[in-house]
Amino acid sequence: MKTDISLIIPIHKLDDSVSEYFTKAIKSVNEQKTLPDEVLIVHAKDKKLKDFLNSFEYGDILPKTKVIENETGDYDFQSQINYGVEKSTSKYFSFLEYDDMLSPIWFDNVVKYKKSYPDVGVFLPIIFECNEKEEFISFTNENVWVQNVSERMGMLDHETLQKIQNFNFDGMVVNKELFLEHGGLKKHMKLTFTYEFLLRLSHLSVDIMVIPKLGYKHINNRAGSLFEEYKNTVNVLESKFWVNKAKKEYFFTEDREITYDVETT
Amino acid sequence: MSENQSTVKDTIKKIVNKDFGIYFFTLDTKGNPTAGVATIYEHVKILRELGFNAQILHDKNDYRLKGDEEGMGIADWLGEEYAELPHISIESQQLQVGPQDFVIIPEAFASIMKQTVNFPCKRIVFLQSYEYIFEMLEIGENWNAFGINEVITTNDNLKKYAESVFRNLVTEVIPIGIPDYFKNSEKPKLPTVAISARDKREILKIVKVFFQKYPHYRFVTFRDMSGLPRKEFAKSLSESFLGVWVDELSSFGTFPLEAMKSETPVIGKIPRMIPEWMGETDENGGLKLIDNGVWVTNLNAIPDMVATMVGLYLEDALPENVLNTMKEYENKYSEENTKQHIKEVYNRIIGRRLTELGVVDAKENESKEVDNKEEKITKN
């Protein structure tokens, strides 16, 4: 079945843990009840990484898989995704972090919900947050289904985002045209690029829906992950700075250069 | 010809010509939707479609047909077409019944059975709930004592029960029909649990225990289904991924059947009288349940069962056996089947009435339609 979805898996470095996690991530793609139309593995310029990816056993998804080197030289997460989107050929795209897993029903549900809610531009999964042993910690994104949180149950609206920041777009499925039209992800938004992106799209009246199904398994604060790094290097003041910045930057489609500057107010 | 013979002949002629009334005594629920009242209206509607003069008979003039500031009326919760059916009140004193007429009295209204004991018409009990049979009967009283020996009920369990309690009853079964507006939602089901309980405290208890034990499932919504207009009820049921049904005293249970037709699985507390669609008790007293739902004996297990079903819903893994068996029941209680039974049963009732009036042989009557009787009457 054609899903009209390209899956992007960004990977920027090869270290000891990559093989184990990447194997699990690819297994979760192979186990999809409904497979995406293509899988794009976007990697940094690194010979060892390239060799690893080119010799990897992709299983059933091999014919759909393309290993692409990011030629821009920007290997931050946002740039990797933006690059993958440019190279994708489907109407929608999704992404999977190489150290996470998709739940087997995710794309199958996206296909169903796309059909039932054709006006929705972004579909978010309920995320199963777990530790490295895959033990449950909490859910993310589920709270728009709690009564009286958002104006329309299940929809993540701008007002809700202004009040609540802890939404996660891992695994989201986005209309590519809409993503490109509204500026994609911003590499200069450190820490709160997810939040800024969701604010921007909701501000532009894009319907964002949380599919009430487990779509994504996210390993929390894995040693060496981007957010673990932020946790160790970003203090409370800087966190506040980035949250406030997101609340200002969402008015702009272009990725404006921002440097951290302590706010005194 | 004596005066008495002439009256009988006149009565028979009226019955044969369908020139008689079938009056269904109905409780004014003051806008509160109940399955029992809905069933009565369905009978009236179908009988009228079949050419009979069926009417709703109610006690007071202020029967709530249309909604007002105090709440809904029949038009609001059941539908305009039902509110437009002929209604007549006892208070208006316009009701005049003769021997050709029929008055159908719900089982709970023993007082009406007593009050109408000298009415010349045929009176029949409409039994929908065993729970209310003795509500207004004194110790030692029974329907026969009020001159009533015919009963219409909705299922075989109730028929068996009534016949085990009262002697010499003629009991007819007209199965419930689940309307076709109960159907699966066109959109994927929501993380909502449609809950129906006779005792509202049970709903609160289930919901409170659920959220206490499973706070991470706070995104699940519970919807109390009581008081909803029928079509809104059907829509809400079809949108929900799960139904919960607690009605210990139920004599049949339309909620789970409505849910099955809506492709919404149900967790239900097994009632004291096990509905025919749920299973049966074998000769050794063992329960043989059908897996067309999740049936529990322990009320306290329901919040845990709901949590299990939420987990399965999140992973698209609701039990296949339940979903498949439910499908077998989607059309088992069709409106068409009810309509056919109404036609046959009321014709038999009318036939027996003619027999009572001394006209024709009972056996012949039971097998033939009332429309064919004019010829026999002429011969007599």
Side-chain angles (χ1 to χ4, degrees):
Chain A
M1 186 178 35
K2 197 166 154 48
T3 58
D4 252 342
I5 301 169
S6 298
L7 174 66
I8 298 163
I9 305 178
I11 184 160
H12 61 289
K13 63 177 179 182
L14 183 65
D15 61 28
D16 294 345
S17 66
V18 167
S19 177
E20 182 194 341
Y21 287 115
F22 188 69
T23 301
K24 283 185 181 175
I26 293 298
K27 185 169 178 271
S28 79
V29 181
N30 269 304
E31 286 173 351
Q32 287 298 300
K33 205 170 158 189
T34 303
L35 288 169
D37 290 350
E38 66 178 355
V39 179
L40 303 175
I41 305 193
V42 179
H43 65 86
K45 191 173 182 181
D46 177 324
K47 191 175 179 307
K48 275 187 186 169
L49 178 59
K50 190 176 179 177
D51 291 346
F52 167 78
L53 294 172
N54 282 327
S55 60
F56 191 84
E57 294 283 339
Y58 289 98
D60 291 345
I61 59 165
L62 180 65
K64 296 169 180 282
T65 303
K66 293 177 196 162
V67 176
I68 302 170
E69 184 176 304
N70 180 352
E71 291 167 347
T72 65
D74 290 328
Y75 304 133
D76 57 274
F77 179 80
Q78 301 91 304
S79 300
Q80 293 268 77
I81 295 292
N82 289 341
Y83 189 78
V85 175
E86 272 178 41
K87 299 292 172 194
S88 68
T89 58
S90 306
K91 192 177 169 190
Y92 291 82
F93 76 89
S94 180
F95 66 85
L96 167 65
E97 292 188 51
Y98 76 86
D99 54 353
D100 291 340
M101 280 162 276
L102 292 169
S103 104
I105 59 165
W106 178 229
F107 291 130
D108 192 58
N109 271 287
V110 172
V111 170
K112 283 181 201 159
Y113 279 77
K114 270 201 302 169
K115 200 175 162 197
S116 295
Y117 300 91
D119 296 334
V120 170
V122 179
F123 292 100
L124 301 176
I126 290 183
I127 296 177
F128 181 93
E129 303 283 356
C130 60
N131 60 21
E132 290 189 54
K133 290 178 188 165
E134 294 181 36
E135 292 164 336
F136 175 72
I137 298 171
S138 65
F139 293 123
T140 303
N141 297 341
E142 86 293 358
N143 49 4
V144 290
W145 284 101
V146 178
Q147 276 185 316
N148 304 321
V149 167
S150 60
E151 198 180 322
R152 280 187 295 160
M153 236 178 165
M155 295 292 184
L156 180 53
D157 55 54
H158 195 70
E159 213 169 298
T160 308
L161 275 162
Q162 289 286 356
K163 290 181 284 185
I164 307 166
Q165 289 115 42
N166 63 336
F167 289 95
N168 185 345
F169 65 20
D170 278 342
M172 71 174 172
V173 173
V174 191
N175 180 304
K176 177 183 169 181
E177 194 185 319
L178 200 142
F179 179 86
L180 294 174
E181 187 188 329
H182 296 322
L185 299 183
K186 292 179 179 175
K187 67 174 273 191
H188 290 108
M189 289 302 307
K190 206 175 159 183
L191 194 65
T192 53
F193 60 88
T194 300
Y195 184 45
E196 190 278 336
F197 174 78
L198 294 172
L199 277 171
R200 182 160 24 107
L201 264 66
S202 61
H203 172 65
L204 294 166
S205 301
V206 173
D207 277 351
I208 304 171
M209 181 184 200
V210 174
I211 294 179
K213 299 282 175 175
L214 289 183
Y216 198 91
K217 192 180 265 189
H218 179 245
I219 298 172
N220 243 260
N221 299 323
R222 182 183 63 78
S225 71
L226 179 63
F227 279 90
E228 166 74 2
E229 187 193 317
Y230 284 156
K231 201 175 145 189
N232 296 331
T233 57
V234 176
N235 61 30
V236 177
L237 275 179
E238 188 177 352
S239 302
K240 200 179 155 197
F241 168 85
W242 287 111
V243 169
N244 287 337
K245 236 5 170 194
K247 286 186 174 178
K248 290 169 187 165
E249 287 301 311
Y250 75 77
F251 291 105
F252 304 98
T253 302
E254 74 270 27
D255 185 10
R256 306 192 317 155
E257 203 156 320
I258 302 161
T259 47
Y260 170 52
D261 184 16
V262 180
E263 289 187 338
T264 51
T265 54
Chain B
M1 190 187 292
S2 70
E3 196 181 323
N4 196 28
Q5 277 178 314
S6 166
T7 308
V8 169
K9 196 170 179 186
D10 190 42
T11 301
I12 292 162
K13 200 172 175 190
K14 282 181 175 172
I15 292 176
V16 170
N17 291 336
K18 289 189 176 176
D19 182 15
F20 61 88
I22 308 176
Y23 302 98
F24 285 78
F25 186 78
T26 310
L27 173 75
D28 187 354
T29 65
K30 298 287 178 199
N32 292 313
T34 73
V37 170
T39 303
I40 290 173
Y41 271 85
E42 206 55 50
H43 278 223
V44 172
K45 185 167 167 271
I46 292 170
L47 283 167
R48 292 193 70 81
E49 285 165 9
L50 293 169
F52 293 103
N53 176 26
Q55 300 193 31
I56 296 290
L57 173 65
H58 50 86
D59 193 16
K60 302 285 181 194
N61 288 335
D62 66 349
Y63 186 81
R64 186 86 62 81
L65 273 178
K66 305 268 179 190
D68 55 29
E69 64 279 358
E70 286 178 34
M72 292 188 292
I74 293 293
D76 309 281
W77 71 264
L78 195 53
E80 200 68 54
E81 72 269 34
Y82 293 93
E84 283 168 4
L85 293 170
H87 288 68
I88 185 165
S89 82
I90 294 172
E91 193 181 36
S92 71
Q93 297 191 328
Q94 286 173 339
L95 177 68
Q96 287 186 333
V97 287
Q100 71 280 6
D101 296 314
F102 297 80
V103 174
I104 317 292
I105 306 167
E107 78 290 323
F109 294 97
S111 56
I112 301 288
M113 297 176 206
K114 281 183 207 176
Q115 285 165 27
T116 56
V117 79
N118 292 321
F119 277 30
C121 60
K122 177 76 183 172
R123 290 165 306 132
I124 297 164
V125 170
F126 197 171
L127 170 60
Q128 294 195 68
S129 171
Y130 73 94
E131 172 64 10
Y132 300 120
I133 292 175
F134 289 97
E135 187 104 334
M136 288 160 124
L137 284 176
E138 301 291 336
I139 293 173
E141 277 184 342
N142 59 48
W143 296 335
N144 298 110
F146 308 135
I148 297 176
N149 63 355
E150 289 202 30
V151 176
I152 297 169
T153 188
T154 53
N155 62 80
D156 284 332
N157 282 347
L158 275 177
K159 175 182 159 79
K160 278 182 207 155
Y161 181 79
E163 289 175 350
S164 73
V165 174
F166 301 118
R167 287 179 190 169
N168 304 320
L169 285 185
V170 177
T171 314
E172 294 278 9
V173 176
I174 299 176
I176 299 274
I178 307 296
D180 287 338
Y181 54 74
F182 284 95
K183 57 183 180 189
N184 195 11
S185 169
E186 283 169 9
K187 292 188 173 179
K189 292 192 183 280
L190 305 174
T192 299
V193 179
I195 186 162
S196 168
R198 185 180 290 247
D199 182 348
K200 300 296 156 239
R201 287 172 306 176
E202 298 295 0
I203 294 181
L204 272 180
K205 208 158 66 187
I206 289 168
V207 173
K208 284 179 179 178
V209 170
F210 176 82
F211 286 121
Q212 181 62 38
K213 287 180 82 171
Y214 305 97
H216 52 287
Y217 286 153
R218 68 203 172 105
F219 59 88
V220 173
T221 299
F222 285 84
R223 180 146 202 206
D224 178 1
M225 301 295 279
S226 62
L228 291 180
R230 292 295 286 162
K231 288 188 180 163
E232 197 183 317
F233 177 99
K235 184 173 178 286
S236 191
L237 188 57
S238 73
E239 288 170 350
S240 303
F241 88 95
L242 181 68
V244 169
W245 178 62
V246 181
D247 190 350
E248 197 81 55
L249 304 173
S250 172
S251 301
F252 187 68
T254 50
F255 179 87
L257 290 171
E258 288 161 349
M260 287 179 214
K261 198 159 178 176
S262 312
E263 297 187 28
T264 300
V266 176
I267 296 173
K269 165 83 176 72
I270 301 167
R272 287 181 205 168
M273 182 182 276
I274 299 171
E276 63 195 24
W277 49 262
M278 185 186 270
E280 57 184 8
T281 311
D282 64 22
E283 58 275 15
N284 302 319
L287 276 177
K288 282 166 71 182
L289 296 171
I290 299 165
D291 57 0
N292 49 7
V294 181
W295 314 125
V296 298
T297 50
N298 179 7
L299 196 65
N300 292 336
I302 290 180
D304 298 330
M305 293 307 299
V306 172
T308 302
M309 293 294 267
V310 172
L312 295 172
Y313 162 80
L314 287 174
E315 296 183 355
D316 275 356
L318 289 170
E320 286 287 332
N321 59 329
V322 172
L323 297 177
N324 289 337
T325 315
M326 272 166 54
K327 282 204 172 79
E328 293 169 24
Y329 287 78
E330 273 175 25
N331 297 311
K332 217 164 189 169
Y333 295 90
S334 68
E335 284 180 304
E336 206 44 54
N337 184 43
T338 304
K339 194 170 180 175
Q340 188 58 33
H341 273 82
I342 285 179
K343 190 177 172 186
E344 290 168 8
V345 166
Y346 283 92
N347 274 326
R348 280 202 294 272
I349 287 170
I350 292 160
R352 283 197 293 271
R353 180 61 172 157
L354 287 169
T355 307
E356 277 176 1
L357 292 166
V359 188
V360 283
D361 180 70
K363 280 182 186 168
E364 278 182 72
N365 268 325
E366 288 196 6
S367 60
K368 293 185 181 172
E369 303 271 320
V370 71
D371 293 346
N372 299 329
K373 299 222 172 69
E374 195 159 20
E375 194 186 36
K376 292 177 190 170
I377 295 155
T378 317
K379 281 177 190 167
N380 275 302

